[in-house]
Amino acid sequence: MPDNIDNLLTETRRFAPDAEFTASAVADAGLYERARADRLGFWADQARGLVSWEKPFTEVLDWSNPPFAKWFADGTLNVAYNCLDRHVEAGRGDRVALHWEGEPGDSRSITYAELTAEVKKAANMLEGLGVRDGDRVVIYMPLIPEAIVAMLAVARVGAIHSVVFGGFSAESIRSRVDDAGAKVLITADGGWRKGVVSPLKPAVDEALDATVHGPSTVEKVVVVKRGGNDVAFTSGRDLWWDDLMQEQAAEHTAQAFEAEHPLFILYTSGTTGKPKGILHTSGGYLTGAAYTHRNVFDLHPETDVYWSTADIGWITGHTYVVYGPLANGATQVIYEGTPDSPVPGRWWDVIEKYGVTIFYAAPTAIRAAMKTGRQIPASRDLSSLRLLGSVGEPINPEAWVWYRDVIGAGATPIVDTWWQTETGSIMISALPGVTTLKPGSAQVPLPGVAVDVVDDHGVPVGDGEGGLLVITEPWPSMLRGIWGDTERFVDTYWSKFGRSVYFAGDGARKDDDGDIWLLGRVDDVMNVSGHRLSTAEIESALVSHPIVAEAAVVGAADETTGQSVVAFVILRASQADTMTPEEAAAALRNHVAHEIGAIAKPRTVMIVQELPKTRSGKIMRRLLRDVAEGREIGDTTTLADTTVMQAIRVG
Ligand code: WTA
């Protein structure tokens, strides 16, 4: 990412912790020492201190058969109990758990006691529908309180949730339902987005349509009323959430499950066309979520109002909207809609309204706000903010400094947090009040986490050098597998440098101080607005359209979204004359949205006669990226046909 590096070099300021902040900070420098002296003892302390166990564990880690880790294996716990009942039992039931803000401006504040009561009823409802521990439940919902209630209810009964982002298509829902063998699906009629109701239930109906896809494993569909849009009901299958909830008993005792009991599957894009179902389990995941949420966000649960803008369809929504904050008894804001609905600066209105103190968002949103100008946030009172976070993609120093100056009044620390769906929780970040901040760098692994940058042979690079990011020791919230595909789990993450080193798929550089700078993916995974997309998945969506003969997709650098999707498509000979390139491009953009979801829609579809290939037939994406980014085309000597690039340029 050379354009990124230019930008990095111009910002050399450093921001030392403020003494007042440090004086009351949750984290202290001693954490690093304690973790270094006894890493497993350190994690055991976190697990005992932050999580309530029904049966305490005696063994911390079993790593006798890498990469299959077992953390706290002989302990038992209930994850939902940890997020709910124990706070009520400790006399904190009146604390607000969720300040929910709907996009049209409706809102609800829900205390821990109320949330616990709702989840108990929802757990009874699921059991009434035949959901048992180990069963899979797909959740396809807008960001409304019921979505969180549903996730926690699934966890409470020991079932496994698989949340599918509400922007994904019927096709994406179906492939996830089938892969997981889901028994129940929880959805809503629709949710509010950009000033209108965006329907969700029709996509579920299409996904489960037996005449199109054959019978599915889903027995019941539970529908929350939110959008008020008309929906079709399949009798015997579809049920209203409200009707079911009304019938439920108020009491539900949370049964304890083993620490390694599966908690959820979350699908994420990989280098092949098929998304991977990343599996997380209970005790270790919750420990990682609670520990990082507390220390990285300097959480003071009695006084803070925390807000992560992530949707529950992504890992950030799992770890830093649901499990981390609720395990820690935090008060948080959740918001249904988009940052600019109905007015630009809606986010800042929400911060002002609830007095948000800790704010966690993606660089794309910060860059979009920069574009619309500082006068918009400047017209709101953001003085409650005391800590800002960034996640999902590298934050360029210019955006970092703007974020701190304009949103953080030139005073708040910023934590740039690197992690992945697979890591479950934050791995690399500054600790606020401890670390001197460096704009653009995620900086240092958290205490207890062992990260390195290595060359192609797995040898650690020196300071000032670049290579591949690896995690060299197991960690409690690590993925436990890919659902139904052990071989892919081992191949993807644990084979490049041996079975005990985790290969993250990111390029990174150590600076002269040994701080880590993330440089983007080294595989065919794109990062668009902080969301992971696979080139192969979009290519296979494109070639599934009858007019397409061949397709290649690249991620091109984009000022706002980090990367954007650019597709190069060869039409079938029979089609090439019947449609204009513009018509074909429009049809294909819609087709990708239909197959995967609007986030995967290519920004540009270029209709070409040929694709650049090596003599062995491999598409040279590097050259296509040059075209997509408007650069001089690089070395073409390995091309089978060196005139191709000229044709693409001209065409
Ligand atoms: C990228 C999101 C630079 C990275 C939590 C990683 C980042 C992928 C950062 C995971 C960051 C995430 N700086 N890059 N602070 N955070 N990434 O699974 O490429 O949706 O591999 O998890 O996002 O994306 P995922």
Side-chain angles (χ1 to χ4, degrees):
M1 309 225 124
D3 42 334
N4 214 350
I5 286 176
D6 283 351
N7 200 339
L8 307 180
L9 295 175
T10 54
E11 176 59 66
T12 53
R13 271 178 293 171
R14 301 290 174 259
F15 299 88
D18 173 79
E20 207 183 314
F21 193 107
T22 303
S24 61
V26 169
D28 63 72
L31 284 176
Y32 293 105
E33 272 148 49
R34 290 198 286 283
R36 212 172 293 130
D38 176 11
R39 214 179 69 85
L40 293 185
F42 175 83
W43 280 121
D45 288 347
Q46 300 307 323
R48 290 193 185 102
L50 297 169
V51 173
S52 301
W53 299 82
E54 166 81 18
K55 174 167 160 266
F57 59 88
T58 58
E59 189 186 17
V60 181
L61 169 68
D62 177 355
W63 191 231
S64 56
N65 180 26
F68 306 101
K70 290 191 185 124
W71 282 90
F72 317 122
D74 60 346
T76 67
L77 76 162
N78 184 287
V79 171
Y81 170 86
N82 270 275
C83 294
L84 300 164
D85 315 47
R86 65 166 173 161
H87 303 311
V88 181
E89 288 167 11
R92 295 188 292 268
D94 291 340
R95 184 183 294 167
V96 171
L98 304 175
H99 287 295
W100 172 72
E101 178 83 2
E103 197 191 75
D106 48 342
S107 62
R108 271 167 77 188
S109 291
I110 301 170
T111 64
Y112 273 93
E114 289 164 344
L115 190 63
T116 305
E118 286 292 290
V119 171
K120 285 180 175 175
K121 281 202 286 178
N124 285 326
M125 166 178 85
L126 289 174
E127 287 178 341
L129 295 176
V131 175
R132 298 289 173 263
D133 62 293
D135 284 345
R136 277 78 61 204
V137 176
V138 164
I139 296 175
Y140 182 68
M141 289 176 85
L143 190 45
I144 54 177
E146 288 82 355
I148 294 174
V149 171
M151 289 168 75
L152 291 170
V154 170
R156 190 175 185 93
V157 303
I160 305 169
H161 58 68
S162 165
V163 181
V164 178
F165 172 58
F168 278 137
S169 66
E171 293 290 332
S172 298
I173 300 171
R174 182 58 189 250
S175 68
R176 286 155 174 77
V177 161
D178 287 349
D179 190 73
K183 190 172 192 176
V184 167
L185 193 155
I186 307 176
T187 187
D189 49 0
W192 284 87
R193 278 197 85 72
K194 301 189 181 167
V196 292
V197 171
S198 166
L200 292 169
K201 176 68 166 46
V204 171
D205 293 336
E206 194 185 327
L208 301 184
D209 189 340
T211 60
V212 181
H213 304 281
S216 86
T217 50
V218 171
E219 294 167 13
K220 298 288 174 202
V221 174
V222 182
V223 188
V224 176
K225 193 170 265 171
R226 164 60 184 154
N229 47 313
D230 280 341
V231 293
F233 253 56
T234 301
S235 72
R237 187 195 72 184
D238 298 352
L239 302 154
W240 286 111
W241 169 279
D242 283 343
D243 293 348
L244 289 172
M245 285 289 273
Q246 257 170 25
E247 301 164 1
Q248 302 307 323
E251 264 324 307
H252 181 274
T253 306
Q255 182 197 331
F257 298 95
E258 288 177 357
E260 286 296 344
H261 190 76
L263 179 62
F264 65 84
I265 306 168
L266 183 60
Y267 287 83
T268 188
S269 297
T271 51
T272 70
K274 191 171 175 274
K276 304 176 280 200
I278 303 299
L279 176 70
H280 283 286
T281 60
S282 303
Y285 172 77
L286 196 65
T287 300
Y291 160 71
T292 52
H293 182 258
R294 184 176 131 80
N295 287 287
V296 174
F297 297 110
D298 189 48
L299 183 77
H300 293 76
E302 311 78 28
T303 48
D304 275 317
V305 179
Y306 163 88
W307 181 21
S308 159
T309 61
D311 187 86
I312 49 149
W314 311 110
I315 190 67
T316 307
H318 283 61
T319 309
Y320 298 109
V321 176
V322 181
Y323 293 108
L326 296 177
N328 287 336
T331 293
Q332 69 174 321
V333 170
I334 55 172
Y335 168 57
E336 178 185 31
T338 43
D340 48 3
S341 265
V343 289
R346 178 68 187 278
W347 271 6
W348 321 128
D349 287 335
V350 173
I351 291 175
E352 182 174 327
K353 176 171 173 184
Y354 295 102
V356 171
T357 58
I358 305 166
F359 180 67
Y360 191 34
T364 291
I366 306 309
R367 289 191 294 264
M370 279 172 78
K371 264 195 176 165
T372 50
R374 63 170 65 212
Q375 67 284 358
I376 294 174
S379 66
R380 271 72 168 194
D381 179 3
L382 304 180
S383 60
S384 55
L385 288 170
R386 62 178 198 88
L387 176 63
L388 302 175
S390 171
V391 62
E393 45 182 326
I395 179 163
N396 47 312
E398 191 192 358
W400 195 104
V401 169
W402 188 92
Y403 196 20
R404 179 178 159 104
D405 281 351
V406 178
I407 308 303
T412 58
I414 295 180
V415 286
D416 174 4
T417 62
W418 179 89
W419 61 296
Q420 308 176 300
T421 306
E422 293 86 341
T423 68
S425 62
I426 298 168
M427 298 281 102
I428 307 177
S429 170
L431 284 179
V434 177
T435 316
T436 292
L437 304 170
K438 237 181 226 185
S441 170
Q443 298 193 274
V444 282
L446 290 182
V449 174
V451 160
D452 213 335
V453 181
V454 300
D455 66 17
D456 274 337
H457 307 290
V459 179
V461 303
D463 290 349
E465 293 172 25
L468 303 169
L469 190 74
V470 293
I471 307 178
T472 56
E473 297 285 350
W475 64 103
S477 67
M478 63 198 278
L479 76 167
R480 299 300 198 271
I482 293 177
W483 185 258
D485 200 344
T486 304
E487 202 181 314
R488 191 174 179 196
F489 166 64
V490 176
D491 285 354
T492 309
Y493 305 107
W494 307 96
S495 61
K496 197 166 172 66
F497 304 115
R499 282 199 160 213
S500 58
V501 175
Y502 174 82
F503 171 59
D506 276 39
R509 191 172 68 85
K510 288 184 201 165
D511 69 13
D512 292 339
D513 303 324
D515 280 340
I516 294 170
W517 298 70
L518 278 311
L519 301 174
R521 302 288 306 190
V522 295
D523 52 13
D524 290 328
V525 173
M526 289 171 282
N527 192 324
V528 178
S529 302
H531 298 144
R532 268 164 78 166
L533 296 171
S534 135
T535 53
E537 196 182 354
I538 300 175
E539 284 167 4
S540 70
L542 286 166
V543 297
S544 75
H545 195 287
I547 65 172
V548 175
E550 227 183 311
V553 165
V554 296
D558 184 290
E559 236 181 57
T560 307
T561 59
Q563 285 187 302
S564 63
V565 181
V566 177
F568 296 82
V569 173
I570 305 176
L571 298 182
R572 284 186 193 282
S574 55
Q575 299 294 330
D577 299 331
T578 61
M579 284 174 118
T580 65
E582 291 73 30
E583 284 166 351
L588 293 175
R589 292 181 73 244
N590 288 334
H591 179 67
V592 172
H594 182 260
E595 290 294 297
I596 303 173
I599 49 165
K601 233 181 185 178
R603 183 192 69 188
T604 313
V605 176
M606 294 189 171
I607 307 296
V608 297
Q609 303 297 324
E610 274 180 272
L611 290 169
K613 289 188 183 150
T614 61
R615 281 168 209 109
S616 59
K618 209 172 171 302
I619 293 175
M620 292 185 73
R621 289 203 174 69
R622 176 173 57 80
L623 298 181
L624 293 175
R625 219 169 286 128
D626 288 342
V627 175
E629 295 174 354
R631 254 196 316 277
E632 217 33 53
I633 292 166
D635 184 4
T636 58
T637 47
T638 53
L639 272 180
D641 172 1
T642 47
T643 61
V644 170
M645 287 318 294
Q646 226 171 339
I648 289 180
R649 262 283 146 103
V650 176

